[in-house]
Amino acid sequence: MIGAVGAAGAAALVGVGWRLEGRPAAPTDPHYPGDLVGAGTPGPAQRTPGRFPVALENSQPGAAGFRLTGHRFGTDRSGEISGYASATSIAPGEELVFRVSVAPAQQYRGTVFRIGHYGGAGARMMTQGPWLDGTTQPAPTVSAETGAVSCAWSPGWRLRIGPDWVSGQYLALLSTASGHHHWVPFVVRGPARTGGALVVIPTSTYQAYNQWPLDGRTGASLYYGHAGTSRRSTAHRSRAVSHDRPYAESGLPHLAADDIGFVQWAEAQGHDLTYATSEDLHAGRIDPGRHQAVIFPGHDEYWSARMRTAVVTARNGGTSLVFLGANNCYWRIRYGVDDHDERLVRCDKVDKPHNGVVPATPKWRKTGSPEQHLIGSQYVSVVDGRAPLVVRASGHWFWAGTGVRDGDSIPDVVWGEADQRMPGVGGPRAVEQVQLADSPFHRKGTAQRQHTQLYRARSGAWVFAAGSLGWTRALHDPAIADPRVDRATRNLIHRVLGEVPAETDQPAVASAARR
């Protein structure tokens, strides 16, 4: 389900100015050379275009010809090359270790790219490692208790993250001398400071869907597994998944291209962004409450109690939340045996007691804390094909500059999975709540409805729920990109970051063509 990522709808960095309202960002890290002009002057300060670390980084030359697809990838069956990183995220100055297996034994090397806009290139090459002697590593082990597949491979390439590497989403491309390739994703965290938006990459959900190795015998995810035969079944899925193994196929996790596409789109806007992973949120390495907004760009389905507590606390303290996918915070997870070993994601996927034991990881809605209480809506169904997003509340600031009217349809946005504000479930205490879209769709012949929701918490925080996995694709995928979704999403991000477009920020859409 992973396709090429385009940069459609991305705005140029040049000529974009912002007027800053609300909590200012504190320039406390070396990549932040002073974002506030006229500090100490009463009233809103002016943001200087291109002064944020991400904006400065994106002024660098991009990697010509960068692409996610089209490489000669190794396969899980023959194992030409595959690898995994020692952590889902890393800080500048720290060392990331790659554990790599090649077959037959031969040399390999890694090339690291930072995902961004970079004038439309989509990434910048950060470094290329030396050629190293590779070996065929041992077969993975399978836990008798949980079915988790994990590797104990010896260390290979060691990468020291440069002190000047800007926080972001990174991809290492492993290459063999024979020309096979494999991706390894990771995130570089930023220094702790206040302000801007924190983008959370859903690594716990990535691993939940990972069925490496695709050998027809061993590979297992939280969805499917094997029982000594090549037939895949839900009955033999694992109860835990390990980060100590490669991702299947090309090495790009399930739906990662949508997160990549969002990052390329968002970094074109010149916002103040920093990045983290699910495990960072769980372990407390980052504090979402230090930021003006937290953005969940895609499919973020698997949440631990610590993750949810951190996000709820941030919202109650005034940090806005932006959910650009659907089916978020659906399964409750824990890490390892004692909720501390973040390399092992556990989810029993059982809601009823078994042998008198109540499972520790049921659906959130079965714990008395349905996801709608946080997000404002919750997962309702898979979507058959694609359906249009049907606009509601067109006079709201969210739709400003899009030219839409109530009842207008935006094609293909409702896709994959959908959320709905469900009656009888209750919801967050809000001072304002609005339904921005109410879209009919079908699942196996049954009529369903998708909702796009926005509410404002008592703390002043905004919480947006796109309610469809197709929303981010309508930002970055040239096949379905829509300027109305682009403009509405920019309106939202301006608002949650306390930004009001300056006069030099021309609207992307004066009046959208009706399709």
Side-chain angles (χ1 to χ4, degrees), residues 486-513:
D486 179 285
R487 176 56 190 264
T489 308
R490 289 195 290 116
N491 290 344
L492 173 69
I493 295 178
H494 297 338
R495 180 72 56 147
V496 300
L497 291 183
E499 297 169 347
V500 178
E503 293 180 357
T504 54
D505 181 26
Q506 299 300 317
V509 182
S511 60

Side-chain angles (χ1 to χ4, degrees), residues 76 140 149 205-227 229-234 236-238 241-242 245-249 252-254:
D76 293 320
V149 178
T205 301
Y206 285 172
Q207 200 56 253
Y209 282 88
N210 182 19
Q211 205 179 332
W212 185 94
L214 296 178
D215 57 3
R217 302 182 312 277
T218 307
S221 69
L222 295 181
Y223 293 86
Y224 299 103
H226 299 277
T229 69
S230 61
R231 184 175 180 179
R232 191 178 72 161
S233 72
T234 57
H236 298 99
R237 64 191 176 201
S238 62
V241 285
S242 174
R245 59 173 179 160
Y247 285 105
E249 300 182 296
L252 283 183
H254 178 69

Side-chain angles (χ1 to χ4, degrees), residues 101 112 130 333 368 428 467 493 515:
S101 180
V112 176
I333 62 172
I493 295 178
R515 294 186 277 175

Side-chain angles (χ1 to χ4, degrees), residues 129-477:
W131 287 103
L132 301 172
D133 292 330
T135 62
T136 302
Q137 302 268 20
T141 60
V142 181
S143 167
E145 176 196 359
T146 65
V149 178
S150 61
C151 301
W153 291 354
S154 59
W157 183 34
R158 297 178 180 272
L159 173 66
R160 180 71 60 179
I161 305 301
D164 59 341
W165 285 29
V166 174
S167 179
Q169 188 178 26
Y170 287 74
L171 292 174
L173 185 64
L174 302 177
S175 308
T176 65
S178 62
H180 290 91
H181 301 87
H182 185 86
W183 291 111
V184 181
F186 64 96
V187 163
V188 172
R189 301 188 302 275
R193 56 181 173 78
T194 301
L198 173 69
V199 179
V200 178
I201 303 300
T203 43
S204 59
T205 301
Y206 285 172
Q207 200 56 253
Y209 282 88
N210 182 19
Q211 205 179 332
W212 185 94
L214 296 178
D215 57 3
R217 302 182 312 277
T218 307
S221 69
L222 295 181
Y223 293 86
Y224 299 103
H226 299 277
T229 69
S230 61
R231 184 175 180 179
R232 191 178 72 161
S233 72
T234 57
H236 298 99
R237 64 191 176 201
S238 62
R239 294 169 50 221
V241 285
S242 174
H243 283 297
D244 289 327
R245 59 173 179 160
Y247 285 105
E249 300 182 296
S250 72
L252 283 183
H254 178 69
L255 296 180
D258 289 331
D259 298 307
I260 291 169
F262 169 78
V263 170
Q264 292 173 325
W265 176 87
E267 294 206 355
Q269 317 301 323
H271 296 299
D272 181 17
L273 304 175
T274 191
Y275 294 80
T277 67
S278 305
E279 287 71 37
D280 294 327
L281 198 56
H282 171 83
R285 280 187 292 272
I286 50 96
D287 177 4
R290 294 177 62 91
H291 299 272
Q292 289 169 295
V294 182
I295 300 174
F296 302 91
H299 190 200
D300 206 331
E301 184 177 353
Y302 290 80
W303 285 44
S304 71
R306 292 182 185 181
M307 291 169 63
R308 182 156 175 169
T309 296
V311 171
V312 169
T313 301
R315 179 204 62 184
N316 293 348
T319 295
S320 295
L321 310 176
V322 176
F323 295 91
L324 292 178
N327 194 13
N328 297 288
C329 197
Y330 183 69
W331 286 106
R332 180 171 173 169
I333 62 172
R334 57 194 172 104
Y335 284 90
V337 175
D338 57 1
D339 216 20
H340 285 86
D341 177 10
E342 63 188 64
R343 299 296 287 174
L344 189 69
V345 181
R346 301 183 68 125
C347 187
D348 298 307
K349 289 203 166 182
V350 178
D351 290 329
K352 298 178 180 179
H354 178 66
N355 294 331
V357 178
V358 177
T361 55
K363 297 184 185 77
W364 272 102
R365 61 184 66 177
K366 296 293 185 178
T367 68
S369 299
E371 56 268 40
Q372 186 163 296
H373 288 185
L374 168 63
I375 298 170
S377 59
Q378 62 187 31
Y379 172 70
V380 62
S381 176
V382 170
V383 179
D384 288 342
R386 290 185 177 274
L389 187 83
V390 181
V391 173
R392 293 288 182 269
S394 58
H396 194 272
W397 59 256
F398 177 83
W399 292 114
T402 64
V404 299
R405 297 190 293 261
D406 281 15
D408 282 358
S409 295
I410 304 178
D412 299 328
V413 177
V414 180
W415 170 86
E417 294 176 333
D419 290 352
Q420 180 187 105
R421 180 167 179 82
M422 293 186 176
V425 174
R429 295 180 178 179
V431 297
E432 177 183 342
Q433 189 156 312
V434 60
Q435 189 173 96
L436 298 166
D438 181 2
S439 315
F441 68 94
H442 286 85
R443 172 60 175 167
K444 294 183 177 179
T446 300
Q448 299 279 6
R449 302 199 79 84
Q450 174 273 350
H451 294 151
T452 299
Q453 295 284 135
L454 177 72
Y455 75 86
R456 194 166 200 185
R458 292 182 175 182
S459 66
W462 294 100
V463 179
F464 172 78
S468 170
L469 292 184
W471 190 280
T472 303
R473 292 194 172 191
L475 297 176
H476 76 81
D477 187 340

